[in-house]
Amino acid sequence: CLRWRHQPPPLLWAARQSIGTQAGGLRAEKPGDNSKDVSVQRALNEETLVSAAQKVKEAGRDFTYFIVVLVGIGVTGGLFYVIFKELFSSSSPNKIYGDALEKCRHHPEIIGVFGDSIKGYGEATRRGRRQHVSHIEYVKDGLKHMRLKFYIEGTESGKQGTVHVEVKENLETGRFAVRYIFVNVETYPRRTIVVEDNR
C-alpha cells in the first residue's frame, strides 16, 4: 500500500509527461531558431543579388535609351541642316531657282509672251509631279558654277518656255552671282528672250 501511495496517480503522471514534452519541444526549437536566422540571412543575400542584377539591367536599359536619344538628335539636326541649306542658303539650287523665277515674272517681254500669273516648275517625276529642278554644279578657273533649267507658263494658253540660268561664285561675298538668264519660247514663233546677261 505504501508503494502505491508513492507512485503518482495516472492523471498527475500524464500532466508531467505533457509538460516534459512541451519543454522538450521548446528545447528542440532552439536550434531551429538558428536555422530561421540562417534562412532569413540567405533570403537577404538573395534579395541583394537580385536587386544588384536589376540595377545593372536598368542601367543598361537607360544607357540604350540614351544612345537612341542621341542618335535621334543627330538625325534631326542633320535634317534641319539640309532643309536650311536647301531653302535659305544663297548657294542652293532652290534659292537660285526662286530668284530667277521672280526675275522672269517681272520681265515685260516675258509677260507680253506668256501673260500674267507666270508659274515655274521643274522636270516631271515618274508620278507626274513637276518638282525637280534640273541643275549641275562644276568648277571652272577655281570658281564654283551652277547651271539650272526649268520651265514656265502663264495665262496664255499653249505658251511654254524653257529657262536657262547660270550662276558663278563671287569670291568677295561668297555668294553666287547671275551670269545669265534667258528663256527659249518653245511655241511658234520660237525665239530667245534675254532676261539678264552679265557675261
Side-chain angles (χ1 to χ4, degrees):
C1 285
L2 290 173
R3 274 188 213 165
W4 187 81
R5 283 182 186 172
H6 282 89
Q7 286 184 352
L11 285 173
L12 185 61
W13 183 78
R16 281 183 184 170
Q17 284 289 359
S18 69
I19 290 170
T21 306
Q22 287 177 357
L26 288 173
R27 278 189 225 112
E29 283 180 1
K30 282 184 182 177
D33 287 344
N34 288 339
S35 67
K36 281 182 184 176
D37 289 343
V38 169
S39 65
V40 168
Q41 194 70 14
R42 282 183 189 163
L44 287 175
N45 288 340
E46 287 175 3
E47 284 179 10
T48 305
L49 289 173
V50 169
S51 65
Q54 285 178 344
K55 285 180 182 178
V56 169
K57 192 183 287 185
E58 287 175 3
R61 189 170 57 218
D62 292 344
F63 182 72
T64 303
Y65 290 154
F66 178 71
I67 294 296
V68 168
V69 168
L70 278 182
V71 169
I73 289 172
V75 169
T76 305
L79 286 174
F80 276 125
Y81 173 76
V82 168
I83 290 170
F84 179 82
K85 188 177 178 184
E86 283 296 315
L87 295 180
F88 302 109
S89 172
S90 63
S91 61
S92 74
N94 285 327
K95 180 76 167 89
I96 295 166
Y97 158 75
D99 293 343
L101 181 59
E102 280 302 310
K103 289 181 180 180
C104 291
R105 283 177 175 160
H106 294 97
H107 195 272
E109 198 173 346
I110 290 178
I111 294 171
V113 172
F114 297 99
D116 294 326
S117 302
I118 294 169
K119 59 182 180 180
Y121 53 90
E123 300 287 342
T125 61
R126 291 181 181 176
R127 296 182 180 180
R129 295 179 182 173
R130 300 172 168 180
Q131 293 180 345
H132 179 68
V133 176
S134 176
H135 70 281
I136 57 167
E137 296 180 44
Y138 62 96
V139 177
K140 183 179 179 182
D141 300 328
L143 297 175
K144 293 179 183 176
H145 291 66
M146 188 186 302
R147 287 183 183 162
L148 288 88
K149 183 177 80 170
F150 61 93
Y151 307 97
I152 59 170
E153 57 186 33
T155 53
E156 290 289 328
S157 61
K159 296 282 185 179
Q160 184 184 16
T162 304
V163 182
H164 298 274
V165 182
E166 183 174 323
V167 293
K168 180 176 74 171
E169 183 183 22
N170 187 333
L171 288 176
E172 294 177 2
T173 61
R175 297 184 175 188
F176 281 105
V178 174
R179 288 194 73 218
Y180 61 78
I181 302 173
F182 63 86
V183 181
N184 287 332
V185 180
E186 301 298 339
T187 52
Y188 184 80
R190 292 176 179 267
R191 58 186 170 142
T192 300
I193 301 171
V194 178
V195 178
E196 188 173 342
D197 192 352
N198 300 316
R199 290 177 287 182

